[in-house]
Structure formats: C-alpha cells, structure tokens
Amino acid sequence: MSDQRLRSSSAVTPFVLDIRSLGRRPGTMTQIHRTVTCDHSLGLDLIAIPADSEIDLDLRLESVNEGVLVTGTVSGETEGQCARCLDPVSGTVNVFLTELFAYPDSVTEQTTDADDVHRIVDDRVDLEQAVIDAVGLDLPMTPLCREDCGGLCVECGVRLDTADPEHGHEFIDPKWAALREKFADPASADAPGPARDAAGPTG
C-alpha cells in the first residue's frame, strides 16, 4: 500500500489506527476497544454487515521485531437473503484477526511482495482489508433461512414451504404437445364424455 493510498483512506475508513504511542520495543502492547461504522457493506453478495451499521473492534496491538502484530475479534450484525427462497436472513459474524503489519525498514517489508504482507505507513496501520477478508471468509456463500428450506418453485416462483401440498405443474415435452394439438378433435374435446357414450352405435 502506498503512502498516498493510506493517507486518503484514513479520511474515510474507521479502521486506520495510529500506533505512535506503541513504540518499537518488542513486547510493548496496547488494547483497543471501539465501536465503529463503515460507509459500505462488509461481506458477500447475499449476506454482509450492512453499511453504516455498528462494528465492534476488540484488539491487541503488540510490537514485535518485524512490525506490529494485531490480534483480536471483529463482530457485527449481518443482513441478507436466503439463497433458496430469497427471504430475509440475519445473524452475527464474529471473526478473529491475526495480522502482522511490517515496519518500513524491516526484513519482512523488504523481502515480501506487496500483496503478501500488510505494511505500516506513517506510523499507522489500516485494518480495513484484513477485516474485509476475514468477514468474507467467515460468512456462508449460500446463506439459508433454515437448513431444510424448500426454496421456490422453478415453474411459478411460489415458496414451496408455504405452497399447497398438492402444488405442482403438468409438464409435457414440447414435441409431444405439438402432436397432441395437431391430432386433437375440438368437437369431441368439448363434448361431455358420458353423453357421447350414451349415444351408442348407429345403424
């Protein structure tokens, strides 16, 4: 992450932490407890922590030889929709973070690709991407309102859990439907069956 990117992100994200008071002596640590909000959702397409909802941070920042080790929990209320029936679903996500932020002049910073390690910039750490990754990995790809949700009828879209027990649709292969229409007798189809039987043979 470049200096410019971190400076711009600090104005809009609550996940940037100032670590100047921590110092660089290994073993020095501090605790952070705060409740923040984010202007965008955190999670997946079908379920996420909604934008502007509260996110609880309970973290420990510890100075180590190569940087600052951040550990602790991030939690928030989630909202989304069932992947089968599309009804609303809600819950709580509670993830544990363990992230090393490397000092600018450390061996880790100099020998590790930019995408493989977080970095300390201007005595600050930005937890946002770490939180996004952890929350995304913890949430289900296919959230369900309940494990045995019946989903929706593929023909008409009605929710099967509330549909009539006899709910169903007659399916006729299009090629057979065309033959049935071709050879159907409209007159006989409209006439009542018993009446036709009662007429009997003529002679």
Side-chain angles (χ1 to χ4, degrees):
M1 177 184 293
S2 67
D3 289 14
Q4 182 179 1
R5 180 180 172 187
L6 183 52
R7 277 194 291 268
S8 62
S9 68
S10 66
V12 296
T13 175
F15 298 107
V16 172
L17 307 178
D18 190 318
I19 61 168
R20 285 175 295 182
S21 62
L22 189 63
R24 296 187 59 164
R25 184 162 60 90
T28 304
M29 65 181 64
T30 186
Q31 297 286 138
I32 293 179
H33 305 275
R34 67 170 63 169
T35 300
V36 301
T37 60
C38 188
D39 61 1
H40 58 83
S41 63
L42 300 178
L44 306 176
D45 289 339
L46 289 180
I47 189 166
I49 301 174
D52 300 321
S53 61
E54 292 186 345
I55 302 170
D56 294 323
L57 306 179
D58 187 1
L59 306 171
R60 184 179 74 175
L61 279 62
E62 180 180 0
S63 179
V64 295
N65 287 328
E66 291 295 295
V68 171
L69 181 64
V70 179
T71 58
T73 58
V74 177
S75 58
E77 301 298 317
T78 59
E79 295 179 5
Q81 60 181 177
C82 176
R84 293 179 185 169
C85 71
L86 306 184
D87 272 10
V89 295
S90 60
T92 301
V93 62
N94 189 29
V95 297
F96 188 80
L97 291 182
T98 301
E99 298 290 341
L100 175 66
F101 289 80
Y103 291 129
D105 55 353
S106 65
V107 174
T108 298
E109 195 275 341
Q110 296 172 4
T111 60
T112 308
D113 291 339
D115 293 336
D116 295 333
V117 66
H118 299 289
R119 285 167 161 75
I120 296 170
V121 179
D122 292 341
D123 291 317
R124 290 177 292 174
V125 298
D126 189 346
L127 300 175
E128 183 171 11
Q129 191 58 52
V131 171
I132 289 174
D133 294 343
V135 171
L137 289 173
D138 191 74
L139 292 174
M141 293 292 294
T142 54
L144 301 176
C145 58
R146 64 173 193 277
E147 289 298 322
D148 60 346
C149 174
L152 302 177
C153 174
V154 296
E155 295 294 327
C156 66
V158 69
R159 187 181 180 194
L160 295 176
D161 289 338
T162 58
D164 187 277
E166 303 300 322
H167 178 82
H169 299 272
E170 181 183 6
F171 176 77
I172 300 175
D173 191 297
K175 61 184 178 182
W176 298 118
L179 287 174
R180 185 173 70 173
E181 292 177 1
K182 180 177 180 181
F183 293 106
D185 182 352
S188 62
D190 293 338
R196 293 195 303 273
D197 296 340
T202 60

